[in-house]
Amino acid sequence: MSLDNMNRRQVLQRVAYLMGGAVSAPAVLGLLNGCAPKQEASNWQPVFFSKEQGAIVAEVADIIIPRTKTPGAKDVGVPGFIDTMLKDVYEQDDRDRYLAGLKEFDDAARKAHGKPFVELSKAQQIEQVKQFNDDAIATELSYDPRPKNLKRPFILLTRELTLLGFFCSEPGATQVLQYVAVPGGFQACVPVTEAGNGKAWASEAMGRF
Amino acid sequence: MNENSYDAIVVGTGISGGWAAKELTEKGLKTLVLDRGRMVRHVQDYPTATTDMWDFPYAGRATAEEMKRHETAARTGYAITQATKHWWVDDTEFPYTEKQRFDWIRGYHVGGRSIMWGRQSYRWSPMDFEANAKDGIAVDWPIRYDDLAPWYDHVEQFIGVSGQNEGSAQLPDGKFLPPMEMNCVEKHFKQQVSDKMGRLVTIGRVAHLTAPLAHSPQRGTCQYRNMCIRGCPYGAYFSSQSSTLPAAEKTGNMTLKPNSIVYEIIYDEKKERATGVRVLDAETRQQTDYFAKVIFLCASTFGSTYIMMNSTSSRFPNGFGNDSGELGCNIMDHQLEIGARAMVDGFDDKYYTGRRPNGIYIPRYRNVGKDKRDYLRGFGYQGGASRGGWTGLMLDTKIGEELKDRAAEPGPWYMGLGGFGEILPYHENRVTMDTSKKDKYGMPVLAFDAVLRQNELAMRKDMANDAAEMLEAAGYRNVRSYDREMGIGLGIHEMGTARMGRDPKTSVLNAFNQVHACKNVYVTDGSCMTSAACQNPSLTYMALTARACNHAVEELKRMNI
């Protein structure tokens, strides 16, 4: 049996186990194609964030990558991912800056609408995310040269971690992008339409981007 | 003969040690092979080899604590991830001293860095072996290309090197498996650089099987996963585990002992020869002496140098074989972190499938033929073209469905070139023992004092400019050159601290890698190198090791050692 098949079988077994074992093969394949969020995604309990902070981050992440025909940031567990990343991968000053930025972000909602961010209408939330996003990107693009140890504000660190968590998740990598664990060969130059399903290949991202 | 006696002892199991183990055992010597680190069995001890990216925590990134434990390896930017962190030394257990930034990037386990190496495999050219004599730099190599050519043939045919013969004088042809293919942009670039600048662009020569090897049926061909650094479950690239250690094992002549830290060579002053090595068991801390007729030090450049510096006696008060005072001096590496990148239009309807674990190579052209620069030697480039992905959307203002749709489309084409430049051997670039600091076992540590000097800095200007110039000549846009700070060692091509030479007064080793003053000790890792050239050095270590093993066995037969 090839390793690819072995992995696929392990995945199927894992999903079947989560569902209590009593699932038919087509249902399992449906799951693999992304009908259901990961267990941890729906029952997420923040470790680093407070419940309120976690709720804001979850909404922002889901506005950046919403559910469409394919799963969105919340479906694949991005809020929990950001929580864990800040706790274990980032340093204390990054955490402090992030939480201060998060508070400013929520304060902006209260100032504009007299309500916390999570209580705004979807349209108002999207509007605010867009505005913070566009302003922060314009600022970062204006640096010349770009600072060596660039410290990204709340909205852009959330964007970075949402992209990272989403496109490295199985649904992100295999449904929005395409991924083949064992390509088996290399076709150096083919029309895009003949390169698998023609979508961008998923790839790991280790550095800042 | 007691139970701790063998015909030969090999210290280290990386690229050089694996080769020494194979050659000596195949020639019939009962060989003890020692490694300071844990056992790593082929395939079963590659814990992440088939893990999909979503099964790693933190999207594969290392935690802040892991980055601190592996602070020097983390300087590479790629070595410390959830997929690879287990291959690198914990700096908190095995510290070293750096007078200036020095990147000593180590792997302490059976197989050494043959598991994590870049697999680029280039011969040196006649020009490289003649360079020191011609330029009046350091000392002359005691060998020439023709001495090594048959051994290059030997090692290429055994390990399997995929590449394209080009008839280039500065990058000799070899015994290659079929080349990997260039993608459309790389082919365009090759043509443009050839037409407009008369320079050669070739596909990287890599130690990957692009066709089966009859003599190694246990190895499979490359599956284009590009996860090589985790260890290959197909054995498709050369490592000690996939290639040389199984060959040594098959002879029945190898005794492999992991967790065996060699800290001293035992020297018999009456016989004027080394009789064995002292070993500290990394687990039990028990000390044991092992004996042999011939000893091969293949513990990596600074590993072997450390053992020699730590082996003092009344005959060798300044370190084993160090009559010349050159032991620990002449540290070399390749300078990198410099090059250029550009966007390429006109190929948006083209893509590729599979992840080719290789790029393109531009052999040295500076100070070759009629070209004369204001510095000595030169550099080559490694690089390649690929299409961008979602990481390129970080500073795109799109959000929501638009962002998802955009991420699903293959991004723009980029072509990048990164220079690998020669560093000259300077006596002042050196490593010494620092007895004020101790490692986990209470052993003194190494202290590095090495910098890039005027010749290297002058070369760097060309390395950045030439890369940009070639990308511009090819008609690409947004050409950006870069020049980032590096510590010597970052190339992980450290060399030179027990150099070969013709004169025992100015070198540590002779033309066959024997210690001048103690002929039954051979040193065949990067420490033997007399100059650095600009090609990746591993293939040359393999060829030198195989040649030295052949010499040792002949000398044993002739009763000369």
Side-chain angles (χ1 to χ4, degrees):
Chain A
M1 183 192 296
S2 79
L3 284 155
D4 192 20
N5 287 338
M6 197 166 77
N7 275 348
R8 191 157 180 83
R9 196 183 63 181
Q10 283 167 353
V11 169
L12 289 170
Q13 280 171 345
R14 215 157 42 220
V15 176
Y17 174 78
L18 278 173
M19 301 300 293
V23 224
S24 66
V28 171
L29 284 171
L31 281 174
L32 280 180
N33 289 331
C35 309
K38 273 193 184 175
Q39 199 85 341
E40 61 267 27
S42 41
N43 298 330
W44 170 56
Q45 295 294 330
V47 182
F48 163 66
F49 295 133
S50 69
K51 261 205 144 81
E52 293 70 26
Q53 290 165 337
I56 297 171
V57 172
E59 288 315 313
V60 173
D62 217 51
I63 286 166
I64 295 170
I65 305 269
R67 183 189 295 182
T68 53
K69 305 182 291 290
T70 51
K74 275 190 198 166
D75 295 327
V76 309
V78 166
F81 171 74
I82 296 177
D83 186 55
T84 317
M85 290 293 280
L86 282 165
K87 177 173 157 282
D88 295 337
V89 174
Y90 284 81
E91 304 281 355
Q92 189 58 45
D93 60 329
D94 298 307
R95 286 188 281 271
D96 293 344
R97 203 179 44 260
Y98 189 87
L99 290 186
L102 193 156
K103 185 173 179 305
E104 276 173 38
F105 182 82
D106 200 36
D107 287 348
R110 291 170 202 266
K111 204 172 156 194
H113 307 286
K115 280 194 262 184
F117 180 78
V118 291
E119 288 174 22
L120 303 188
S121 72
K122 200 71 190 173
Q124 287 169 329
Q125 287 183 339
I126 292 172
E127 181 57 35
Q128 182 170 330
V129 168
K130 240 186 184 336
Q131 199 191 327
F132 270 70
N133 181 67
D134 292 1
D135 289 352
I137 287 173
T139 303
E140 188 168 325
L141 289 174
S142 71
Y143 295 134
D144 187 26
R146 194 171 128 136
K148 221 175 155 190
N149 288 311
L150 181 71
K151 301 292 186 190
R152 283 188 162 140
F154 162 75
I155 189 70
L156 287 193
L157 192 49
T158 307
R159 181 182 176 93
E160 178 177 336
L161 292 175
T162 300
L163 291 170
L164 180 69
F166 183 77
F167 289 114
C168 291
S169 75
E170 187 171 7
T174 62
Q175 294 176 50
V176 181
L177 312 176
Q178 58 169 332
Y179 176 77
V180 178
V182 186
F186 178 64
Q187 292 176 282
C189 186
V190 292
V192 169
T193 47
E194 291 168 28
N197 62 17
K199 289 181 181 172
W201 294 110
S203 58
E204 293 171 54
M206 288 309 159
R208 292 294 294 273
F209 49 86
Chain B
M1 193 151 154
N2 78 33
E3 59 176 308
N4 287 351
S5 290
Y6 297 83
D7 294 329
I9 291 172
V10 175
V11 184
T13 58
I15 280 178
S16 303
W19 263 97
K22 166 182 147 29
E23 297 291 295
L24 296 173
T25 55
E26 286 184 344
K27 290 174 190 294
L29 301 196
K30 295 284 177 197
T31 304
L32 174 65
V33 179
L34 301 167
D35 197 284
R36 63 171 298 147
R38 68 183 187 276
M39 185 61 192
V40 172
R41 291 160 299 176
H42 187 40
V43 186
Q44 48 191 314
D45 291 334
Y46 304 154
T48 58
T50 60
T51 308
D52 287 316
M53 63 180 118
W54 48 82
D55 286 327
F56 290 113
Y58 313 111
R61 292 192 184 180
T63 64
E65 196 221 326
E66 287 161 349
M67 293 296 267
K68 282 188 195 104
R69 290 170 75 87
H70 301 285
E71 193 254 324
T72 48
R75 294 176 189 177
T76 59
Y78 62 83
I80 304 304
T81 71
Q82 296 301 329
T84 57
K85 62 187 182 187
H86 49 279
W87 295 137
W88 308 95
V89 165
D90 184 333
D91 292 310
T92 62
E93 291 184 342
F94 300 103
Y96 62 88
T97 301
E98 45 190 339
K99 194 159 177 201
Q100 297 85 21
R101 173 178 164 182
F102 192 91
D103 303 340
W104 188 20
I105 295 162
R106 301 160 282 172
Y108 288 167
H109 49 257
V110 170
R113 290 175 295 184
S114 79
I115 296 175
M116 309 89 92
W117 73 308
R119 309 166 311 281
Q120 296 282 313
S121 301
Y122 301 102
R123 291 186 181 209
W124 284 26
S125 71
M127 167 179 83
D128 297 314
F129 291 100
E130 292 158 10
N132 278 5
K134 188 168 148 262
D135 298 333
I137 292 290
V139 298
D140 186 17
W141 275 91
I143 57 170
R144 288 292 180 262
Y145 178 74
D146 288 343
D147 295 309
L148 211 49
W151 299 101
Y152 276 132
D153 290 352
H154 176 64
V155 298
E156 282 169 350
Q157 285 170 318
F158 187 75
I159 69 174
V161 177
S162 155
Q164 176 72 53
N165 281 323
E166 301 279 7
S168 159
Q170 60 269 42
L171 194 74
D173 289 344
K175 306 282 182 191
F176 296 141
L177 298 173
M180 293 182 182
E181 204 182 334
M182 289 188 193
N183 63 39
C184 0
V185 169
E186 291 162 347
K187 282 177 192 157
H188 176 261
F189 182 71
K190 175 185 169 73
Q191 192 63 48
Q192 293 288 307
V193 169
S194 169
D195 291 352
K196 295 188 175 148
M197 317 199 75
R199 291 177 192 157
L200 172 66
V201 179
T202 189
I203 187 71
R205 297 173 179 176
V206 274
H208 283 249
L209 302 193
T210 49
L213 284 179
H215 59 70
S216 292
Q218 81 282 7
R219 296 183 57 192
T221 55
C222 183
Q223 300 298 301
Y224 297 90
R225 304 184 322 140
N226 197 20
M227 294 175 175
C228 319
I229 193 170
R230 305 181 189 180
C232 183
Y234 308 94
Y237 73 86
F238 167 85
S239 64
S240 299
Q241 271 81 355
S242 71
S243 176
T244 44
L245 291 178
E249 179 73 41
K250 208 166 83 181
T251 64
N253 290 327
M254 176 171 73
T255 304
L256 174 62
K257 282 190 198 291
N259 298 308
S260 300
I261 302 169
V262 173
Y263 61 93
E264 194 180 339
I265 297 164
I266 307 166
Y267 183 70
D268 185 322
E269 310 219 348
K270 284 200 201 98
K271 294 183 191 155
E272 295 185 324
R273 53 187 283 147
T275 54
V277 296
R278 302 226 138 95
V279 169
L280 173 72
D281 188 300
E283 291 179 317
T284 65
R285 306 208 177 193
Q286 194 184 327
Q287 298 182 18
T288 311
D289 291 351
Y290 293 97
F291 304 97
K293 295 174 204 156
V294 60
I295 295 163
F296 270 70
L297 284 184
C298 304
S300 82
T301 292
F302 302 132
S304 292
T305 301
Y306 180 98
I307 294 167
M308 294 172 83
M309 290 198 298
N310 200 44
S311 304
T312 52
S313 56
S314 55
R315 170 66 187 85
F316 295 116
N318 300 315
F320 188 82
N322 191 22
D323 293 345
S324 64
E326 293 296 332
L327 184 68
C329 302
N330 311 297
I331 292 176
M332 296 172 284
D333 183 26
H334 289 131
Q335 52 167 340
L336 29 69
E337 293 287 275
I338 186 157
R341 186 175 190 239
M343 284 177 93
V344 184
D345 294 326
F347 295 90
D348 284 355
D349 57 337
K350 295 288 194 298
Y351 209 9
Y352 38 78
T353 70
R355 298 182 291 273
R356 185 190 63 194
N358 187 18
I360 57 104
Y361 189 71
I362 301 176
R364 178 179 149 188
Y365 51 84
R366 286 300 182 199
N367 291 316
V368 175
K370 287 190 184 129
D371 187 81
K372 289 282 176 289
R373 311 300 294 171
D374 63 352
Y375 53 85
L376 298 172
R377 316 290 167 89
F379 50 88
Y381 289 106
Q382 291 176 29
S386 59
R387 298 195 74 157
W390 56 269
T391 57
L393 298 174
M394 178 61 213
L395 298 179
D396 184 310
T397 53
K398 288 184 190 66
I399 60 168
E401 185 160 15
E402 253 192 324
L403 174 60
K404 272 173 104 176
D405 289 347
R406 183 66 193 79
E409 294 166 22
W413 280 96
Y414 290 95
M415 174 86 205
L417 296 173
F420 281 68
E422 181 160 357
I423 295 178
L424 293 176
Y426 301 101
H427 180 79
E428 300 73 27
N429 277 355
R430 65 182 304 181
V431 60
T432 51
M433 210 62 117
D434 178 358
T435 51
S436 71
K437 205 186 273 182
K438 301 281 196 278
D439 72 9
K440 179 183 169 182
Y441 298 104
M443 308 284 287
V445 307
L446 290 178
F448 296 93
D449 182 5
V451 289
L452 297 180
R453 295 171 196 268
Q454 197 199 333
N455 197 69
E456 290 73 41
L457 299 175
M459 185 188 296
R460 266 182 110 71
K461 291 184 188 136
D462 268 3
M463 293 170 76
N465 291 340
D466 287 10
E469 194 180 44
M470 284 188 275
L471 294 169
E472 274 158 13
Y476 304 154
R477 73 181 163 95
N478 287 5
V479 176
R480 287 271 178 110
S481 60
Y482 61 88
D483 179 356
R484 294 188 287 252
E485 195 188 343
M486 69 166 282
I488 295 184
L490 192 69
I492 326 186
H493 294 165
E494 63 271 21
M495 293 176 250
T497 47
R499 72 182 175 198
M500 295 167 74
R502 299 171 191 274
D503 184 350
K505 291 195 201 73
T506 56
S507 58
V508 181
L509 308 173
N510 70 11
F512 288 99
N513 298 72
Q514 291 171 289
V515 173
H516 280 302
C518 183
K519 298 280 193 292
N520 71 329
V521 176
Y522 290 74
V523 185
T524 72
D525 53 35
S527 58
C528 75
M529 304 297 272
T530 313
S531 68
C534 65
Q535 299 93 316
N536 305 53
S538 296
L539 188 75
T540 299
Y541 304 164
M542 297 188 215
L544 286 168
T545 301
R547 179 173 174 270
C549 289
N550 183 63
H551 183 263
V553 172
E554 294 300 312
E555 287 292 275
L556 282 171
K557 280 187 205 150
R558 289 192 285 260
M559 312 275 275
N560 283 343
I561 57 171

